[in-house]
Amino acid sequence: MYRARYRRDLDELNATMVELMQSVSIAIEQSVRALQERDVELARAVIQGDQAVDDMNTRLENKCMELLALQQPMAKDLRMIVGILKIGIDLERASDLAVDVARVAVQSKAVLPPAMTEDLKRMADIAQQMLKDVMRSLSEGNADIAREATKWDYEMDRLYVKARDNLIKTAAENSDQANDLIPLMMANRHLERIGDHICNICEHIIYMIEGKREHLN
Amino acid sequence: MGNKMESKKLNLWYGQKWALKDITLDIPENKITALIGPSGCGKSTFIRCLNRMNDLIDKVRIEGEVLYDGHNIYSRDTDVVELRKRIGMVFQKPNPFPMSIYDNVAYGPRIHGVKSVDSLVERSLKDAALWEEVSDRMDAPAMGLSGGQQQRLCIARALAMRPDVILFDEPCSALDPISTSKIEGLMEQLKARYTQVIVTHNMQQAARVSDLTAYFLLGEMIEFGPTKEIFENPQQKSTEDYITGRFG
């Protein structure tokens, strides 16, 4: 086997990135559940967990820099390392946004309207599904899976607009709750932004697999 | 910008061994074309076809064409000596003549009847980025120069013949990184006036210096294209396997 250590390092890099994706996916799910169930403990766990995500991303960056400096990767290896560097940035931002949702769960006292609870849960589910598709696209080396996954972002955007309108209506009808509803408005926005970051990740995956730069959303 | 040289369905046999198989490749003017591939792939054989250096080897048979400014260099009316003046070559190991620095550069022009060579020697050494290091000791033996200086002297010697094309066969494989980077910088400077072809085992070097890269394997040219594309997103699996170190 040529360059066995290098190959092993690339495999480990890939595994660390998948681990990072899984951590972010869990953080997204838990932040929304904390908001739905008013589970302050769970929200605090998400906030604390962000440090681990940041550390993992730093490890990922360091390994990428080491491989670039020492192994002079080319072609698909080079695309993979550059892609992972960029994916790390988007995952780290998605994790920060999940933390922001969790902070809303800690701070806001407003009771979520039931319809909105469902919509936010649906947004978190979609984000998780998109990340699952990303991981499958990568493991199967099939960029079409990532291309297809970006289409879910339209549904994310639709749900965002629906929840936003719902909140505006609720605030108009219950002006005494307006201050508490604003953080919920923000949480809704954070989830929509998470969808955008996962779309970016899909574009990086397509580049890694096919060497094509596509702007899909 | 057109092609300075073109090979068309070029085949070469060393006795029974089929060393080059139907190589069709354009070498554009004022560009650096790199030839890469594992040992025995035919890249050095190919570059030696570009100024008929393989004529000197026994039992070599060549079919196909190599055009230089549209003229087939393998046609009967080609003056091979004149051809090698126009298409100079720099080899893997620096090979200065056992004479002074000055005479090394002056040798070629003199045997071709050039009487006054002082300015030509100076210009060639300046173009080869060696003048500043040797101008105060032109009578010193060339063998006393460092390896990197000797290689630049060989480049100056080639430039003194006022070539159109310079062929580099592994020009840096015997040099340290600083000398290598001087040669690479020199190639970049020479690009404005010369067409250059380089055979290299060092893929990073091909990536750094060349505009176009051709990948050879087992006597065939597998892929040819802009260097950026070959090293970022090659179209052939075999190219990718080679440049990522999966075989070679």
Side-chain angles (χ1 to χ4, degrees):
Chain A
M1 178 72 164
Y2 290 100
R3 303 180 79 183
R5 189 187 133 197
Y6 171 54
R7 302 254 80 83
R8 202 167 54 238
D9 283 351
L10 287 176
D11 289 345
E12 279 174 21
L13 191 66
N14 202 37
T16 309
M17 184 188 61
V18 170
E19 198 185 330
L20 185 57
M21 275 183 192
Q22 284 162 342
S23 300
V24 173
S25 178
I26 290 167
I28 294 166
E29 187 275 326
Q30 288 182 337
S31 67
V32 171
R33 184 147 52 88
L35 191 62
Q36 276 180 306
E37 296 173 6
R38 294 283 153 206
D39 187 338
V40 174
E41 284 305 304
L42 184 59
R44 291 210 167 102
V46 172
I47 294 165
Q48 279 165 8
D50 188 50
Q51 187 59 48
V53 168
D54 289 352
D55 292 347
M56 209 186 296
N57 189 36
T58 304
R59 277 210 314 279
L60 210 57
E61 278 181 18
N62 288 342
K63 195 69 198 173
C64 287
M65 294 306 286
E66 182 190 315
L67 288 170
L68 286 169
L70 303 183
Q71 299 288 351
Q72 289 89 40
M74 294 285 190
K76 69 178 174 190
D77 296 347
L78 177 63
R79 299 201 305 271
M80 176 183 159
I81 292 170
V82 171
I84 285 177
L85 275 171
K86 295 172 101 174
I87 287 171
I89 295 167
D90 279 305
L91 284 174
E92 201 256 326
R93 284 297 301 133
S95 175
D96 289 346
L97 290 164
V99 165
D100 289 340
V101 173
R103 288 212 171 99
V104 172
V106 174
Q107 291 159 3
S108 172
K109 294 175 183 66
V111 176
L112 281 167
M116 192 184 159
T117 307
E118 277 311 303
D119 288 343
L120 292 186
K121 165 86 169 57
R122 177 83 183 121
M123 287 170 89
D125 288 348
I126 290 173
Q128 284 196 294
Q129 183 58 49
M130 286 171 86
L131 280 173
K132 253 188 211 166
D133 289 346
V134 159
M135 288 184 259
R136 193 159 63 86
S137 171
L138 203 58
S139 70
E140 293 180 17
N142 181 351
D144 285 339
I145 298 172
R147 272 191 195 95
E148 200 60 31
T150 61
K151 292 181 183 162
W152 281 108
D153 197 43
Y154 295 113
E155 178 66 1
M156 287 284 255
D157 291 348
R158 190 188 70 78
L159 288 166
Y160 161 69
V161 171
K162 186 176 162 220
R164 182 196 62 192
D165 292 349
N166 239 326
L167 280 165
I168 292 170
K169 192 165 162 254
T170 308
E173 287 165 1
N174 308 280
S175 56
D176 56 319
Q177 284 184 29
N179 277 347
D180 287 328
L181 289 169
I182 289 168
L184 295 177
M185 188 81 92
M186 296 301 292
N188 183 32
R189 175 73 181 150
H190 297 325
L191 285 168
E192 189 271 332
R193 288 291 300 139
I194 286 174
D196 294 341
H197 283 289
I198 301 175
C199 272
N200 291 346
I201 293 170
C202 291
E203 289 170 5
H204 304 324
I205 298 279
I206 292 166
Y207 174 69
M208 286 161 75
I209 295 172
E210 294 183 352
K212 293 179 187 158
R213 293 184 198 282
E214 294 182 13
H215 296 285
L216 296 166
N217 213 318
Chain B
M1 204 161 290
N3 295 326
K4 181 48 86 178
M5 301 192 77
E6 293 166 40
S7 82
K8 291 184 181 295
K9 288 194 166 293
L10 186 71
N11 287 273
L12 182 144
W13 289 263
Y14 291 117
Q16 296 296 309
K17 185 179 158 46
W18 193 8
L20 289 178
K21 300 173 184 172
D22 274 335
I23 308 295
T24 295
L25 173 66
D26 294 341
I27 296 169
E29 192 168 11
N30 297 110
K31 300 278 184 204
I32 300 176
T33 302
L35 311 177
I36 62 168
S39 296
C41 69
K43 58 192 188 297
S44 287
T45 299
F46 178 77
I47 202 174
R48 288 202 305 267
C49 287
L50 299 179
N51 66 348
R52 294 189 52 173
M53 293 294 279
N54 289 319
D55 290 12
L56 308 171
I57 300 171
D58 279 348
K59 293 182 183 170
V60 162
R61 185 162 64 87
I62 294 169
E63 285 179 8
E65 292 184 336
V66 174
L67 305 184
Y68 165 58
D69 282 339
H71 176 81
N72 183 13
I73 66 170
Y74 285 94
S75 65
R76 284 169 191 272
D77 62 348
T78 300
D79 176 345
V80 178
V81 174
E82 185 61 25
L83 176 78
R84 292 188 190 136
K85 264 174 69 182
R86 310 301 302 150
I87 305 173
M89 195 157 195
V90 176
F91 298 90
Q92 181 173 2
K93 196 165 172 284
N95 54 354
F97 303 135
M99 49 181 75
S100 71
I101 293 167
Y102 182 96
D103 287 341
N104 258 275
V105 185
Y107 186 84
R110 274 184 187 144
I111 63 165
H112 282 88
V114 180
K115 297 268 188 305
S116 174
V117 292
D118 280 3
S119 63
L120 182 57
V121 169
E122 181 177 335
R123 195 168 62 242
S124 302
L125 285 166
K126 280 181 175 165
D127 285 350
L130 189 60
W131 176 253
E132 285 183 11
E133 294 166 50
V134 300
S135 60
D136 59 345
R137 49 174 172 146
M138 297 290 279
D139 293 329
M143 300 306 238
L145 297 172
S146 73
Q149 287 172 327
Q150 286 186 16
Q151 193 63 306
R152 278 179 286 145
L153 181 67
C154 293
I155 293 172
R157 200 171 63 188
L159 296 178
M161 300 305 292
R162 300 185 175 184
D164 246 2
V165 180
I166 311 172
L167 309 175
F168 293 91
D169 191 357
E170 294 269 6
C172 301
S173 59
L175 305 184
D176 70 12
I178 293 170
S179 302
T180 297
S181 107
K182 281 185 183 167
I183 301 275
E184 290 177 3
L186 176 58
M187 290 180 76
E188 184 63 33
Q189 284 172 28
L190 295 175
K191 213 161 85 169
R193 282 176 291 155
Y194 304 93
T195 300
Q196 299 170 82
V197 184
I198 178 171
V199 162
T200 178
H201 272 298
N202 181 336
M203 279 180 293
Q204 278 69 40
Q205 179 170 60
R208 283 193 299 264
V209 303
S210 71
D211 302 293
L212 297 142
T213 297
Y215 169 61
F216 282 68
L217 181 67
L218 299 171
E220 291 182 67
M221 193 188 72
I222 305 293
E223 190 165 354
F224 178 52
T227 296
K228 185 181 173 297
E229 286 174 22
I230 295 286
F231 285 96
E232 190 181 333
N233 192 16
Q235 298 305 301
Q236 302 296 323
K237 185 174 182 302
S238 160
T239 315
E240 182 140 89
D241 285 349
Y242 179 68
I243 65 176
T244 57
R246 282 171 173 80
F247 84 94

